[in-house]
Amino acid sequence: MKIRVGVFFGGRSVEHEVAIISALQTIHAIDQDKYQVIPVYISKQGIWYTGDLLLDVDNYRDLDGLLAKCKKILVSHNTGEHTVFNYPQGMFRKNILEQIDVAFPVMHGAHGEDGCLQGFFELMGIPYVGPNVLASAVGMDKIMLKAVLRDAGLPVVNDSWFYAKEWLNHREEIIGKLEKELGYPMIVKPADLGSSVGITKAAGREELEDAVELARHFSQRILVEEMIVDLREINCAVLGDHEETEVSVCEEPVSSSDILSYQDKYLSGGSSKGMSGTRRRIPADIPEKMTHTIQEMARKAFVTLNLAGVCRIDFLVDAKNGRVYVNEPNTIPGSLAFYLWEPVGKTFTQLTTDLIDIALKGHREKENLVFSYESNILAVRGSKGIKK
Amino acid sequence: MFRILSLAAFIGFFVYTAWKLKRDLHMMQQNSYRNERYLKWFRGSPGKHVRLRDLVPALALVPAALDYPVIAASLWLFIYVLLFVWREKVREKKKLVMTKRAARLYAVALALALVIAAGAGHVYFNGFGGVYGRFLIMLVLVPLNIFSFVIMLFANRLLAPLEQANNNRYFRDAQRIVRQMPSLTVIGVTGSFGKTSTKHILSRILSEKFNVLMTPGSFNTPMGVTKVIRTMLKPIHEMLVIEMGAKQKGDIAELCRLVSPRYGILTAIGEQHLETFKSLENIKNTKFELIEALPADGLAFFNLDDPNIWDLVPRSPVKSITYGIDHQDADYSAREIKLTPRGTGFILRTCQGEEVPFQTKLLGRHNIYNILAAVAAACELGMDLCDVARAVQDVEPVPHRLALKRTPGNITIIDDAFNANPVGSQMALEALAAIPGGQKIIVTPGMIELGEKQYEINKEFAVNAAKVCDYIILVGRKHTKPLQDGLKSVQMPRERFYVARDLADANRHLQTLVRPGDVVLFENDLPDTYNE
């Protein structure tokens, strides 16, 4: 009997298509001798499907046609059942479609990488790949993230944040505060979006106002950071859990504009290579000492945030003075950052096997904790034990 | 009118009998649906089941004999309605579980009862055989109601071939599932005592490194294990730890045919279930079936401190690993054992001469044996000794097995309610003595199923308890007789023990005398079939 791995992908997120590519890459990397993959596709509307047709990227060109041929499903939320049901159910059809043993989410951004789906897995009581609810949520929220990293003594870029509603009522005060505390140029970011969507730089007041107007469409909270003018971006991936970690080589994405834009990140470099298709330098052309510093900071950030699985931690380097800042973790990185592991001798297949093993280990540890007691206190009325 | 009355009379009989059958079903379930066990248990305490009040409907025989059929039927109906309305409500410790099997059995028994009642009603109304016929019908039905379990036994016999076929099908299915997982390592644990704790400890240790499934609760029969495999075993599992129970010869061999274990742990051999096994030799051979079933590359684990095991070790067809406390030459041994209110500490030594300090929340010397068995198996399965030591620290006591608890009122409770053997009881007493505190109190109904030595063992237990305890509460009047005799023999003052009617009474009494700082041991907890 092979271990049945449910790969969850797609989702109600702006990074929907990228997630599809990452997921299909992952599915093809998973060791077919040990595991049986059950694809669970979540459409942009949030409807869940399964079917073997979901395994071929070419089928996604005609999405409506594809989904018409796939089966709509419900996954049981009952703890321990792990059952995939046909939906809606019928008298004359097979209602129980699949049974899964491990959940493997390959989703980017909202509803998949931010803890929502992880919460569902917790309710199901199923082992799942990647960080838990809290770590996923903190990793996604730039405001909380920076508070936690700063508290752990990790260097982060100076920033300030406010609610979009506040902006509407107190625009002048906020601008004044930002200009005083940070100064131009600044970077404006929606607080809790995974990708680079909605992120713009502001060199002056007018640009700042435009940037906030844009960001406010994506989030209720807005983060503004000092901009590092002479910027290099370096990424490093970490694999493991709170007990054991491995670090990958560092990479430097090469971008055409100042910030790695959505276009650069996902749309350049060919049709369907996902994150691995972005132009990048591997390993990054930085001094050995800096590589080491970044790897250790990546490890520390990983453990501080209680991450698990494979995460890509992004760093900002001020090329003028060589200062390194932690930017953000990607708790489910594009293409699972497999291209950072191949140089250290770990194949994509081995990476997926490791990820599943880490998920099973995390689940075992959780099972050894006490969540509730078997006996029903309401059913025992003074029959056993002493009441005082 | 007479037709309706006759009908009602026999419906009344049927309803009351149906209720009694449900109780019979409950007891049948507790006796594993085995007729011979049911009968044996019944012979053991018939008073539990036969109620004098069920004789009252025989009053209707008088008007029936005097040829007043209407009065007889009315009286008969009246009495059965009253019996039903005033039926006893017993609170059971182990509730009846309406499994499909139980439902099938109940349905057949009810159908039988209905046919009998309807047939009788038919004869009564039509007056076949006249006054004698009516008299005779009632004369037969009254005892049939009193001994309603006869219907249950008959229904069980009728269903036996069907149930057997069903069981065989499930058994083969479970066998197939295990064979489909060649990388699954199966570890069998058997012995007269310690197997449940050993299973728990081993599973907890192995879960540091592997995905482990253990048989839960007391699913230790072929059908229980079959159910666990069919419903709980998943492809993610790498280790399967199985507790193997035996009530008669061949039980363990059958379990081994089901799961094909590669490792076998024999915890200890004692006189548990001596009644069904007849001799100690039979018990030994039955437990040894596990070792005989191991493959050539398997490993057998033996407790060297148990003299009953000595002659088994050389008989082992596979490599043997031994453990012990008194035998420091064992492959895994413990020394410098220290018992405190927080648990136990000791030094463990492996066959390689490695020495590591161990600390555990578990109490008692027997738990050291259980830990040694589990540690030996985990190490032979390739685990690092330091990882093992860390896991042992986190092992929680099995509920009701010498589990140490503290109530908010600062009373220490040693809950050993699931124990039922002399050696375990003695160890519980030692733990009670070792824990510092105010009054030492024991609550116990004594032990059963110990064969001809039952009286002696219970008496001796009471004598030992009297040495340790400041106060003794015996649960039940009749079957604690040997214990009462034991207390008398050591002149335990009457004001220092109490014989309670049942557990509820014992608890009520306990609450009147327990004070903060006291230590209370709940020792053994008999099934409902012995609540006398």
Side-chain angles (χ1 to χ4, degrees):
Chain A
M1 264 203 291
K2 292 179 192 171
I3 295 180
R4 296 154 299 188
V5 179
V7 176
F8 293 69
F9 63 104
R12 283 163 61 208
S13 152
V14 291
E15 292 161 283
H16 183 90
E17 286 79 4
V18 190
I20 294 175
I21 293 162
S22 290
L24 296 182
Q25 290 173 326
T26 305
I27 289 170
H28 290 123
I30 287 175
D31 187 347
Q32 306 291 329
D33 292 335
K34 275 174 86 172
Y35 307 104
Q36 180 200 338
V37 171
I38 291 134
V40 176
Y41 170 71
I42 304 172
S43 73
K44 273 188 182 171
Q45 290 73 35
I47 313 293
W48 296 30
Y49 296 89
T50 193
D52 286 341
L53 291 172
L54 291 164
L55 298 175
D56 187 350
V57 73
D58 290 330
N59 292 338
Y60 289 81
R61 289 178 203 282
D62 172 20
L63 199 54
D64 292 337
L66 169 64
L67 295 185
K69 283 180 226 146
C70 289
K71 289 194 182 93
K72 239 193 220 183
I73 55 166
L74 285 184
V75 176
S76 171
H77 52 254
N78 291 350
T79 305
E81 284 185 0
H82 310 167
T83 309
V84 178
F85 294 102
N86 223 332
Y87 174 80
Q89 305 216 333
M91 282 266 278
F92 303 105
R93 55 202 281 197
K94 202 173 129 208
N95 283 325
I96 293 181
L97 289 178
E98 303 284 356
Q99 220 30 64
I100 53 177
D101 301 308
V102 181
F104 197 144
V106 188
M107 319 258 283
H108 304 316
H111 303 117
E113 198 180 354
D114 61 358
C116 291
L117 190 62
Q118 286 72 13
F120 181 68
F121 295 146
E122 290 286 343
L123 294 179
M124 284 176 73
I126 193 168
Y128 60 94
V129 171
N132 64 22
V133 177
L134 180 66
S136 299
V138 172
M140 183 63 57
D141 189 288
K142 296 183 171 73
I143 297 168
M144 295 302 156
L145 169 75
K146 293 184 80 168
V148 175
L149 292 177
R150 203 176 271 136
D151 187 63
L154 285 158
V156 290
V157 176
N158 285 337
D159 65 286
S160 182
W161 70 272
F162 49 88
Y163 285 96
K165 281 270 164 64
E166 274 182 79
W167 170 259
L168 295 176
N169 300 331
H170 309 284
R171 180 181 300 218
E172 290 306 317
E173 287 158 51
I174 291 173
I175 293 175
K177 187 172 169 243
L178 292 174
E179 286 177 344
K180 197 173 133 228
E181 286 179 8
L182 306 173
Y184 297 108
M186 307 174 197
I187 301 262
V188 179
K189 301 176 173 178
D192 47 9
L193 219 63
S195 182
S196 328
V197 177
I199 301 182
T200 21
K201 102 178 197 200
R205 189 162 185 143
E206 218 163 287
E207 283 184 29
L208 176 62
E209 291 188 44
D210 289 345
V212 174
E213 285 303 321
L214 174 68
R216 158 173 111 68
H217 285 101
F218 297 102
S219 174
Q220 295 172 355
R221 286 141 69 243
I222 291 157
L223 178 79
V224 184
E225 285 177 337
E226 261 178 22
M227 180 168 161
I228 298 166
V229 183
D230 218 345
L231 175 72
R232 288 179 78 181
E233 285 192 281
I234 308 289
N235 304 335
C236 174
V238 184
L239 172 71
D241 61 10
H242 64 99
E243 259 185 318
E244 275 173 60
T245 49
E246 290 174 60
V247 286
S248 73
V249 296
C250 294
E251 63 156 340
E252 179 169 18
V254 185
S255 84
S256 44
S257 61
D258 289 357
I259 315 162
L260 185 65
S261 71
Y262 184 72
Q263 252 80 19
D264 276 328
K265 207 164 172 181
Y266 296 128
L267 302 183
S268 64
S271 56
S272 58
K273 288 193 192 137
M275 201 50 196
S276 57
T278 315
R279 279 168 290 154
R280 54 170 44 80
R281 216 171 278 136
I282 302 172
D285 184 18
I286 48 173
E288 200 178 313
K289 201 171 153 223
M290 186 183 278
T291 302
H292 185 72
T293 308
I294 286 177
Q295 284 175 332
E296 283 318 300
M297 274 162 73
R299 209 189 282 272
K300 186 173 176 190
F302 186 92
V303 175
T304 301
L305 295 167
N306 190 17
L307 294 170
V310 65
C311 300
R312 197 190 73 227
I313 318 265
D314 295 357
F315 292 84
L316 305 172
V317 178
D318 192 333
K320 251 195 312 225
N321 53 21
R323 270 201 203 121
V324 179
Y325 302 92
V326 183
N327 185 27
E328 60 176 7
N330 293 272
T331 55
I332 304 177
S335 305
L336 300 187
F338 76 87
Y339 48 88
L340 292 179
W341 294 100
E342 282 173 345
V344 294
K346 195 185 282 291
T347 62
F348 198 175
T349 298
Q350 184 58 45
L351 178 67
T352 55
T353 302
D354 287 358
L355 285 170
I356 292 167
D357 283 344
I358 293 166
L360 291 172
K361 179 185 173 223
H363 188 71
R364 285 201 301 272
E365 288 176 354
K366 220 178 300 166
E367 281 194 322
N368 282 332
L369 302 174
V370 178
F371 281 110
S372 64
Y373 294 98
E374 280 287 305
S375 56
N376 177 5
I377 295 171
L378 300 176
V380 184
R381 289 207 205 88
S383 58
K384 195 171 259 186
I386 299 162
K387 285 196 202 145
K388 279 243 108 179
Chain B
M1 186 60 210
F2 181 57
R3 177 194 289 268
I4 293 171
L5 186 69
S6 309
L7 195 66
F10 289 93
I11 288 174
F13 166 83
F14 171 72
V15 169
Y16 183 62
T17 308
W19 171 75
K20 284 196 71 179
L21 281 172
K22 191 157 182 192
R23 289 178 47 186
D24 298 333
L25 177 70
H26 184 194
M27 295 305 140
M28 188 56 116
Q29 188 169 56
Q30 290 207 2
N31 282 293
S32 324
Y33 301 102
R34 300 266 253 301
N35 279 359
E36 74 284 0
R37 270 193 214 163
Y38 191 102
L39 282 169
K40 193 170 193 177
W41 159 78
F42 177 75
R43 278 196 296 270
S45 62
K48 163 81 182 159
H49 227 61
V50 177
R51 291 272 176 267
L52 277 180
R53 60 160 80 169
D54 291 347
L55 264 176
V56 179
L59 287 177
L61 284 169
V62 179
L66 300 174
D67 204 8
Y68 294 108
V70 178
I71 295 176
S74 312
L75 188 61
W76 165 275
L77 171 63
F78 180 68
I79 294 168
Y80 273 116
V81 167
L82 283 189
L83 280 174
F84 183 72
V85 171
W86 287 335
R87 66 191 184 276
E88 297 170 279
K89 297 208 171 60
V90 225
R91 191 184 293 161
E92 297 109 354
K93 263 174 295 186
K94 201 171 168 187
K95 289 225 158 29
L96 172 69
V97 189
M98 253 306 163
T99 58
K100 281 188 186 148
R101 178 174 193 175
R104 274 196 297 271
L105 181 56
Y106 193 42
V108 171
L110 283 185
L112 284 173
L114 192 64
V115 167
I116 292 167
H122 187 67
V123 171
Y124 193 86
F125 171 69
N126 290 307
F128 299 139
V131 62
Y132 297 109
R134 290 190 175 126
F135 182 81
L136 220 61
I137 286 287
M138 287 188 167
L139 193 68
V140 171
L141 286 198
V142 171
L144 190 67
N145 171 268
I146 293 174
F147 300 102
S148 59
F149 63 88
V150 173
I151 300 174
M152 187 52 68
L153 291 174
F154 187 65
N156 196 35
R157 181 67 197 83
L158 275 184
L159 276 173
L162 175 73
E163 298 299 346
Q164 193 54 47
N166 250 342
N167 288 352
N168 289 345
R169 196 158 52 84
Y170 291 145
F171 187 90
R172 280 194 302 273
D173 187 47
Q175 234 175 3
R176 180 187 58 81
I177 292 171
V178 173
R179 285 191 190 138
Q180 273 179 3
M181 297 176 68
S183 58
L184 182 77
T185 304
V186 182
I187 303 148
V189 183
T190 192
S192 299
F193 36 86
K195 54 184 183 294
T196 305
S197 297
T198 304
K199 171 190 73 177
H200 272 270
I201 298 165
L202 179 59
S203 302
R204 178 62 189 81
I205 296 174
L206 291 176
S207 75
E208 291 281 311
K209 273 269 173 307
F210 306 99
N211 296 312
V212 190
L213 177 70
M214 67 167 187
T215 49
S218 19
F219 280 83
N220 60 11
T221 61
M223 271 345 278
V225 174
T226 295
K227 192 172 176 190
V228 171
I229 290 171
R230 294 182 68 241
T231 56
M232 295 173 73
L233 187 66
K234 296 262 176 78
I236 57 166
H237 291 121
E238 300 159 289
M239 301 271 165
L240 177 60
V241 182
I242 300 226
E243 176 181 336
M244 298 181 164
K247 284 201 171 171
Q248 54 208 15
K249 214 165 163 344
D251 280 1
I252 305 263
E254 192 182 352
L255 274 164
C256 291
R257 270 200 302 284
L258 177 61
V259 294
S260 323
R262 199 146 85 85
Y263 295 81
I265 301 176
L266 219 175
T267 57
I269 288 172
E271 289 166 344
Q272 182 78 310
H273 297 302
L274 191 59
E275 217 163 80
T276 50
F277 277 112
K278 308 276 192 302
S279 77
L280 190 66
E281 204 50 41
N282 282 340
I283 299 182
K284 278 180 168 177
N285 289 334
T286 305
K287 307 287 180 197
F288 198 69
E289 288 167 8
L290 168 61
I291 309 300
E292 285 169 333
L294 299 177
D297 64 340
L299 281 179
F301 297 85
F302 293 103
N303 177 355
L304 214 51
D305 285 0
D306 183 355
N308 288 328
I309 279 177
W310 288 344
D311 56 324
L312 295 180
V313 181
R315 272 169 59 190
S316 168
V318 298
K319 192 181 166 201
S320 304
I321 307 285
T322 57
Y323 59 92
I325 299 172
D326 300 332
H327 286 78
Q328 287 291 318
D329 55 329
D331 295 318
Y332 291 82
S333 62
R335 62 184 168 79
E336 293 177 38
I337 299 163
K338 289 192 183 75
L339 196 68
T340 69
R342 304 248 165 252
T344 317
F346 61 92
I347 308 273
L348 182 123
R349 208 168 79 127
T350 71
C351 43
Q352 276 93 39
E354 258 184 293
E355 296 204 347
V356 174
F358 271 66
Q359 180 65 40
T360 167
K361 290 174 213 166
L362 306 186
L363 284 183
R365 189 180 162 90
H366 64 297
N367 268 325
I368 310 278
Y369 286 119
N370 300 335
I371 290 171
L372 282 172
V375 170
C379 287
E380 297 299 327
L381 276 160
M383 279 188 69
D384 182 68
L385 196 55
C386 289
D387 287 344
V388 172
R390 193 184 55 198
V392 166
Q393 247 182 48
D394 285 344
V395 172
E396 292 293 332
V398 180
H400 314 301
R401 296 208 190 241
L402 213 56
L404 193 62
K405 286 188 280 193
R406 242 163 216 274
T407 69
N410 194 25
I411 293 154
T412 304
I413 291 179
I414 308 171
D415 178 358
D416 199 29
F418 277 4
N419 175 57
N421 70 74
V423 179
S425 301
Q426 189 51 38
M427 286 174 173
L429 281 180
E430 282 168 26
L432 181 65
I435 294 177
Q439 301 183 91
K440 304 289 175 70
I441 303 167
I442 186 172
V443 180
T444 182
M447 291 162 276
I448 49 159
E449 281 193 27
L450 298 171
E452 55 196 25
K453 288 186 184 166
Q454 179 152 328
Y455 180 86
E456 280 311 309
I457 291 170
N458 273 306
K459 189 172 171 187
E460 194 191 328
F461 175 61
V463 170
N464 292 332
K467 287 181 206 149
V468 173
C469 303
D470 300 297
Y471 201 94
I472 292 173
I473 298 176
L474 302 178
V475 185
R477 298 223 161 107
K478 203 172 116 226
H479 65 248
T480 60
K481 189 77 177 46
L483 294 146
Q484 294 169 34
D485 292 351
L487 293 182
K488 265 179 216 134
S489 72
V490 292
Q491 273 112 39
M492 184 83 167
R494 194 61 195 86
E495 67 275 10
R496 279 178 54 205
F497 72 94
Y498 175 75
V499 183
R501 213 169 36 254
D502 50 28
L503 193 58
D505 182 33
N507 273 319
R508 269 195 301 278
H509 186 75
L510 177 63
Q511 295 191 30
T512 62
L513 65 103
V514 73
R515 292 192 297 263
D518 288 353
V519 188
V520 183
L521 167 64
F522 283 88
E523 181 62 29
N524 199 0
D525 183 9
L526 301 180
D528 281 340
T529 42
Y530 285 91
N531 214 344
E532 182 79 350

